Amino acid sequence: MPKSSNQKLKLLYLLKILREETDEEHFLNSQQLIERLARWDISAERKSIYDDIARLMDFGYDIVHVKNKAGSGYYMGSREFELPELKLLVDVVQASRFITQRKSRELIQKLEQFVSAKEATQLQRQVYVAGRVKTENESIYYNVDFIHRAIQENRQISFQYMEWTLDRRLVPRKGGERYVISPWALSWNDENYYLIGYDAAADQLKHYRVDKMGSIQLTALEREGGSAFKSFDIAAYTNKTFGMYGGKEETVSLEFADRLIGVVIDRFGKETDIRRLAEGTFRIRVKVAVSGQFFGWLTGLGIQARLTGPPDVVEEYKEYLKKINKLYEEGRFEEA
């Protein structure tokens, strides 16, 4: 009987079966493997199965031979990723706002290929995250790769920066004017991806939401701002910048109730200068970008936190609170 055209692919199909249908709790014996190979019109005998598995093991695949009361058989042992590692990656993909729902599904389906079909169901059960707001900008997935390429090739990029309108459309800012920036790093902060780049016109480093960058293009210009970025500490920058909104940088003093120590360390890090005051309170001195976002964060902590210096920032915060109170007293927004 002539052999089928698939016969030369026997080892590959055997590997596919072991990868997709076996794991530590599910194994297949030689007869079951023969039956599955037959579905692809591949003939096999018990002895050839033993020889083929030995070849795969010699090549480096971890195929385990089981012999117990339940029977005997083979399963794929260690893989590129362990199941707990893949569960973690699935959670990160699904929770990431900057990855669209469609791209999230595609990535998770690809991750499922690293485990058996039985184990893949455990990844599927982790996919849903209630109320998660995802970006609708499909291009962000490729924008990130594009920016990395520009960094590697030491080139500036140009792009349009987008903003939302009341009719839920993303439109270019400044009438479509293109921004020209030297990209230096990508930062993931507050559930969004940001480009850290040098703006030669303003002679400073700035950040941009990657999901709001449109029609990115590589330019022929070499990057600028290397000396500025060399002394730039991304971790410190993101710690002092609230919601990635810039503002005047100041060293401020803040007092907190002891119960907020975890909030403070989560926000500013373990190396923060912390001084105990009266029983039940402590003080810190940190650099922050003074902005409405910083004041909003502080206000959210209620009467368990107090800004104590410098005096001009304290006065600015008082004015911020007065304006909010005035809004509720008068029931209307101030004119811009």
Side-chain angles (χ1 to χ4, degrees), residues 192-204:
N192 289 301
Y193 239 142
Y194 292 88
L195 164 68
I196 308 295
Y198 178 74
D199 182 341
D203 188 26
Q204 67 180 91

